[in-house]
Amino acid sequence: MSDQITDRRAKLDLLRALGVDPYGSRFAGRVLNAHIRAAAEKLDLPPGQVRDAANARFRAAGRIVLYRDIGSLIFMTVRDWTGDLQYGLSKKMLLEGIERAEAPTERPGEEKDRSHLPDSLSSHLSGEVQWKVAKSLDLGDILGVEGQLGRTKTGELTLWADRLTLLSKALRPPPEKWHGLTDLEARYRRRYVDLFSSPDSQRVFLLRARIIEYLREVLGRRGFIEVETPMLQPIYGGAAARPFTTHHNTLDLDLYLRISPELYLKRCLVGGLERVYELGRCFRNEGISPRHNPEFTMLELYQAYADYHDMMEITEELIAGAARDVIGSPRVAVGGTELDFTTPWPRRRYADLFAEHVGFPLTEIPAARRRAAELGIAERGLDDAVVVNLLFEHYVEPHLVSPTFVLDYPAALCPLTKRCPDDPSLALRFELYINRMEIANAYSELNDPDVQRVTLSRKLRGEEDQTMAVRDDDFVEALEYGMPPAGGLGIGIDRLVMLLTGSPSIRDVLLFPLQRPQA
């Protein structure tokens, strides 16, 4: 590695001695590789020929991932974020030049023409110097060219360059053979290398962006507006989690990174914003695992005059629609499992699933405590609902592979949720499970301020939850002004992207996941 870097730095010095700027400048009129390939389909490009016409002339740029020097010819595979394209460099072309047509402007995939501004190719170097530049290129260098499309004798689409410019000299070599970083820890620490060396990794993040865009489009069509609520909160709430603490010096005030935007979004409902959502970061001071990262992205939405049945419909539209319209199929392979997102999804009651897989009703608390003890759970210090839920997680969740709505949770677990009218021990809440993992959580929202004041004052023993340490009286006061009946929904975006892209770990769908510092 050290020898390669030394060699690349020597080339850097040589380029500067030739009067070449190794870090270029703007490169106008560039067309993406995918659009060049699409344009080539409409052109008559016989093998072994170059098409000398204006509609076959392009500017392109990208990173060199393959370099073959065969004397007076150089072939390179150059990658941009739409794929790869072969560039051909001929010493004769660069030294003698060919008659150059003016490239048309405003073609699909091309940047807007700004030819009046300085450009890397507007004052290009002599053909002799350009050839020396070509001979000094390395894998990983970023190159811009202008030339004519053609095909090699074997039929490979090739952009034959008669002008080139170095846009960025890479001083460190890329991973061997461009298969990407094989060490997972290195992939997460040096995501920038993982992205440019692994098309599969880059594809995940391009799909992530499209999934999020799709969710926004669907909610927009449904009349929702996107809002922004505080990430720094004086009182944290809306979820069972431990917060990160920080301090505001001027106000001499402890603040918390939000664990959820829920209570502020409900304040929006009180204020008359009837359909709101927020898509943003939340923070929970908890462990790291293939399904957990302390910093994660959450979609939360609230609709006035709705309930958790409406939230089920929205959830199906968002997730099944993303599978169909973004991924391209309602069936997605995750590991060795094929998930079918075709709707409607089953609705199963929490109590029924518990009895089916645990073997007795959830109301049999003595039996539940005995079973928990058999599993090694220190149940004596836990509230009944917590014991029951730990058994649910152990026995039931492993069976929830296909998309399944689990309905009507024990009310003690749900301080922000309306109770079932015919059984106050149950809450009008669902969780969506897919591939044994919770993906979404929804309520018929509690809007009775007196009940809310009581439920926010209770703390379950055994819950890793500090949200009840300080009751949010301002939120309860907001409810006293009147909040309409509403349905609320939260979807974990990172877990959703994991499922839709078939990624095994949450760190595979986070650009820069939290890592332990290197020694």
Side-chain angles (χ1 to χ4, degrees):
M1 180 70 75
S2 178
D3 289 344
Q4 290 189 57
I5 293 174
T6 300
D7 179 62
R8 287 167 180 254
R9 285 196 171 276
K11 290 180 179 179
L12 183 74
D13 294 338
L14 173 63
L15 290 166
R16 284 178 167 146
L18 290 171
V20 175
D21 178 1
Y23 295 103
S25 60
R26 66 187 298 274
F27 192 75
R30 170 190 173 228
V31 181
L32 295 170
N33 288 345
H35 293 289
I36 294 176
R37 287 192 171 278
E41 296 297 320
K42 303 175 183 178
L43 298 172
D44 180 21
L45 297 172
Q49 294 186 24
V50 178
R51 180 69 179 272
D52 188 10
N55 64 349
R57 186 169 185 80
F58 294 91
R59 277 187 170 193
R63 190 182 293 271
I64 301 171
V65 299
L66 182 65
Y67 181 91
R68 291 178 294 146
D69 184 344
I70 51 177
S72 60
L73 288 176
I74 297 172
F75 291 98
M76 295 175 289
T77 300
V78 179
R79 177 174 297 163
D80 67 19
W81 70 344
T82 67
D84 295 350
L85 182 68
Q86 179 166 278
Y87 293 0
L89 299 178
S90 159
K91 183 177 182 180
K92 181 178 180 181
M93 276 187 176
L94 290 178
L95 292 181
E96 298 178 3
I98 64 172
E99 185 176 343
R100 301 185 178 102
E102 193 67 30
T105 60
E106 300 293 334
R107 290 187 287 192
E110 181 180 12
E111 297 175 0
K112 186 176 180 181
D113 180 47
R114 294 184 177 88
S115 55
H116 60 289
L117 297 175
D119 180 81
S120 287
L121 286 181
S122 61
S123 56
H124 61 284
L125 301 164
S126 68
E128 183 177 351
V129 171
Q130 289 187 71
W131 183 246
K132 290 181 179 179
V133 171
K135 288 286 190 176
S136 301
L137 294 171
D138 288 302
L139 295 181
D141 289 352
I142 298 175
L143 183 69
V145 303
E146 183 176 320
Q148 299 289 145
L149 269 184
R151 294 191 184 275
T152 62
K153 291 180 180 179
T154 59
E156 176 67 26
L157 181 66
T158 303
L159 184 61
W160 288 97
D162 52 75
R163 301 171 71 187
L164 67 85
T165 185
L166 182 60
L167 297 172
S168 186
K169 181 66 182 174
L171 298 180
R172 289 182 177 270
E176 255 186 61
K177 298 184 179 179
W178 291 87
H179 294 319
L181 295 168
T182 55
D183 181 80
L184 283 178
E185 202 70 18
R187 286 178 57 193
Y188 302 143
R189 289 190 187 279
R190 292 188 285 162
R191 180 68 81 189
Y192 43 88
V193 178
D194 178 47
L195 287 171
F196 72 64
S197 62
S198 171
D200 288 340
S201 180
Q202 191 175 104
R203 171 185 168 272
V204 166
F205 292 100
L206 293 175
L207 284 173
R208 179 187 175 110
R210 291 175 57 200
I211 290 166
I212 291 174
E213 182 181 17
Y214 178 85
L215 300 180
R216 284 191 164 109
E217 287 176 358
V218 171
L219 292 175
R221 290 198 300 267
R222 280 181 163 265
F224 284 82
I225 62 166
E226 185 171 7
V227 298
E228 295 174 313
T229 63
M231 289 192 181
L232 288 175
Q233 301 179 350
I235 299 175
Y236 48 91
R242 292 177 177 173
F244 287 94
T245 305
T246 187
H247 188 79
H248 189 278
N249 292 331
T250 301
L251 296 179
D252 190 21
L253 177 67
D254 284 340
L255 294 169
Y256 307 93
L257 295 179
R258 72 178 178 196
I259 58 176
S260 167
E262 177 169 348
L263 302 188
Y264 283 92
L265 290 172
K266 289 181 178 179
R267 287 172 169 95
C268 292
L269 293 181
V270 174
L273 301 180
E274 297 183 0
R275 299 191 181 201
V276 294
Y277 76 91
E278 185 165 9
L279 207 162
R281 290 297 213 196
C282 295
F283 309 85
R284 298 182 184 178
N285 197 350
E286 298 168 349
I288 297 174
S289 77
R291 297 182 177 186
H292 298 88
N293 193 68
E295 179 183 7
F296 60 98
T297 300
M298 178 74 75
L299 168 65
E300 286 213 20
L301 63 93
Y302 292 85
Q303 179 177 333
Y305 312 110
D307 66 6
Y308 75 151
H309 295 286
D310 298 286
M311 296 303 104
M312 287 184 229
E313 179 189 341
I314 292 175
T315 303
E316 288 181 329
E317 182 179 0
L318 290 172
I319 296 178
R324 180 189 64 245
D325 296 343
V326 178
I327 305 304
S329 171
R331 292 179 174 82
V332 177
V334 179
T337 303
E338 183 181 78
L339 300 175
D340 188 350
F341 289 93
T342 304
T343 58
W345 299 333
R347 276 84 163 143
R348 299 292 309 278
R349 295 180 71 247
Y350 183 102
D352 295 339
L353 287 168
F354 185 95
E356 177 182 337
H357 294 287
V358 181
F360 52 82
L362 58 81
T363 53
E364 296 289 336
I365 299 302
R369 289 191 174 276
R370 286 194 299 271
R371 183 67 62 82
E374 292 170 3
L375 294 175
I377 297 171
E379 47 82 25
R380 290 187 179 180
L382 307 180
D383 277 334
D384 293 345
V386 175
V387 173
V388 166
N389 201 52
L390 288 172
L391 294 180
F392 184 92
E393 291 173 353
H394 181 82
Y395 287 104
V396 180
E397 287 184 6
H399 298 278
L400 302 176
V401 179
S402 298
T404 304
F405 290 113
V406 178
L407 313 181
D408 303 340
Y409 275 64
L413 297 172
C414 315
L416 297 164
T417 314
K418 275 185 180 292
R419 279 40 183 155
C420 291
D422 53 350
D423 186 353
S425 70
L426 300 178
L428 299 175
R429 169 189 179 182
F430 77 72
E431 287 191 359
L432 170 67
Y433 282 87
I434 306 176
N435 199 33
R436 308 173 183 89
M437 182 167 58
E438 179 202 344
I439 299 300
N441 186 21
Y443 308 154
S444 292
E445 301 296 339
L446 179 59
N447 61 342
D448 182 331
D450 293 333
V451 175
Q452 185 69 92
R453 183 178 288 105
V454 172
T455 59
L456 286 180
S457 300
R458 293 175 181 162
K459 175 142 180 23
L460 285 179
R461 292 176 301 140
E463 279 277 272
E464 292 187 3
D465 175 15
Q466 298 176 1
T467 57
M468 310 310 170
V470 181
R471 189 178 64 207
D472 191 340
D473 287 323
D474 179 77
F475 171 64
V476 177
E477 182 178 317
L479 293 184
E480 291 178 334
Y481 283 93
M483 187 183 89
L489 168 67
I491 298 177
I493 296 301
D494 308 310
R495 290 184 177 185
L496 176 60
V497 175
M498 281 176 61
L499 288 174
L500 294 180
T501 60
S503 300
S505 171
I506 197 170
R507 296 197 291 177
D508 293 323
V509 301
L510 296 171
L511 275 171
F512 303 103
L514 183 65
Q515 297 285 102
R516 188 185 301 275
Q518 289 181 303

